[in-house]
Amino acid sequence: MRYIIKLSGSILDSKENLIELKKILNEIKVITKNGNKVGLVVGGGRRSREFIETGRMFNLSESELDQIGIALTRINAMVVIGALYDLAYPRVVSDFEDAAMAWNEQKIPVMGGLTPGHSTNAVAALLAEYTRADLLINATKAGGVFDRDPTKYPNALMLENVSIKDLKKIISSSFQAGKYELMDEVALGIIERSKIRTKIIGADAVSLRKALKGKKTGTYIVFE
Ligand code: UTP
């Protein structure tokens, strides 16, 4: 099986989360040793948002701010590469052909951001499309898609499935540098055009293990 896993940059934001990152990387080691192929895409996390806000104070353009975000995602990717040691392709991968080459060399390609105008979710969707992955897993802080905003409504319920149409409505409210939350429109466009099997889960090892075993966790994107 071919899996593309997008790791929220928040996983590198605090010491607690770094302990979880270690566990996540162990899960990834296990599935690659079992003969599966994994491609990783790492987000920018809190640091990218902080640097973007600093740049915004000085009126940098949205694409300049995106470039700052991309730089931070690549720094996070470097940490993940170092943590995976000889399992990972040693350089941050910045195009899809190189990701495929890394697989040919039995290495895990690790990517950050690519170009302004979208988030690392779009990079992960494009990588999943390019590599004809069996499953795209988006490991996020949110853990899945809820029927209402869970930060405002404590009774919000996590959906088992969400249609691409409904997800587009949910995400259409925020499209600025540093503010692509759950997914972005570019990512959803790619997922929709290639009907990529996609699951949004929590950024923790237990959720990842369940998703890899096809067990119930998070939210599937469905196409009507
Ligand atoms: P992300 O928004 O993807 O990382 O990238 P994040 O904040 O860690 O998101 P989650 O928690 O993983 O979902 C950080 C910023 O880098 C820029 C955007 O400004 C984005 O908000 N970026 C990233 C790009 O412009 N292009 C890319 O290909 C990737």
Side-chain angles (χ1 to χ4, degrees):
M1 294 275 271
R2 298 174 167 216
Y3 299 101
I4 301 303
I5 303 171
K6 156 69 206 296
L7 290 177
S8 166
S10 65
I11 201 76
L12 287 110
D13 280 354
S14 69
K15 272 196 184 154
E16 261 169 45
N17 293 2
L18 289 175
I19 294 168
E20 201 56 46
L21 174 61
K22 273 193 185 172
K23 294 183 190 163
I24 289 174
L25 296 181
N26 277 335
E27 294 297 329
I28 290 170
K29 282 179 195 168
V30 171
I31 54 160
T32 48
K33 287 204 172 123
N34 290 342
N36 300 289
K37 292 199 187 307
V38 175
L40 288 179
V41 181
V42 190
R46 171 177 51 79
R47 293 182 188 90
S48 71
R49 279 189 301 279
E50 283 173 3
F51 273 94
I52 285 169
E53 282 321 305
T54 306
R56 194 166 267 137
M57 300 265 289
F58 293 95
N59 292 323
L60 272 69
S61 67
E62 285 297 319
S63 39
E64 285 175 302
L65 297 172
D66 277 342
Q67 293 286 19
I68 290 174
I70 291 166
L72 270 298
T73 63
R74 290 182 175 174
I75 289 173
N76 283 345
M78 287 168 75
V79 175
V80 170
I81 289 170
L84 285 168
Y85 195 47
D86 56 3
L87 283 183
Y89 190 76
R91 203 173 279 155
V92 178
V93 168
S94 57
D95 67 57
F96 304 118
E97 290 85 351
D98 280 351
M101 294 295 284
W103 274 356
N104 287 346
E105 292 173 26
Q106 314 302 325
K107 299 285 181 197
I108 299 174
V110 185
M111 301 185 76
L114 286 181
T115 47
H118 53 73
S119 73
T120 47
N121 292 312
V123 175
L126 285 162
L127 180 59
E129 183 180 64
Y130 185 89
T131 57
R132 294 180 242 165
D134 299 291
L135 182 63
L136 167 61
I137 297 174
N138 184 9
T140 87
K141 245 191 328 192
V145 182
F146 290 79
D147 59 346
R148 285 170 292 173
D149 182 349
T151 59
K152 286 188 198 143
Y153 303 95
N155 301 335
L157 287 176
M158 192 186 288
L159 305 169
E160 215 170 301
N161 297 299
V162 67
S163 73
I164 195 113
K165 208 172 84 199
D166 288 345
L167 192 50
K168 274 185 181 167
K169 271 189 225 150
I170 296 170
I171 60 133
S172 60
S173 51
S174 180
F175 203 50
Q176 271 187 317
K179 292 187 179 159
Y180 309 111
E181 305 231 310
L182 210 51
M183 276 276 171
D184 63 70
E185 285 169 17
V186 181
L188 282 186
I190 303 297
I191 290 169
E192 186 174 30
R193 76 174 181 183
S194 292
K195 298 207 165 30
I196 299 168
R197 202 160 157 254
T198 304
K199 188 157 224 199
I200 300 170
I201 64 162
D204 61 88
V206 171
S207 300
L208 180 61
R209 190 183 312 156
K210 284 185 181 166
L212 292 168
K213 289 189 170 166
K215 291 191 179 157
K216 198 176 149 185
T217 185
T219 306
Y220 264 120
I221 298 180
V222 292
F223 314 92
E224 298 97 342

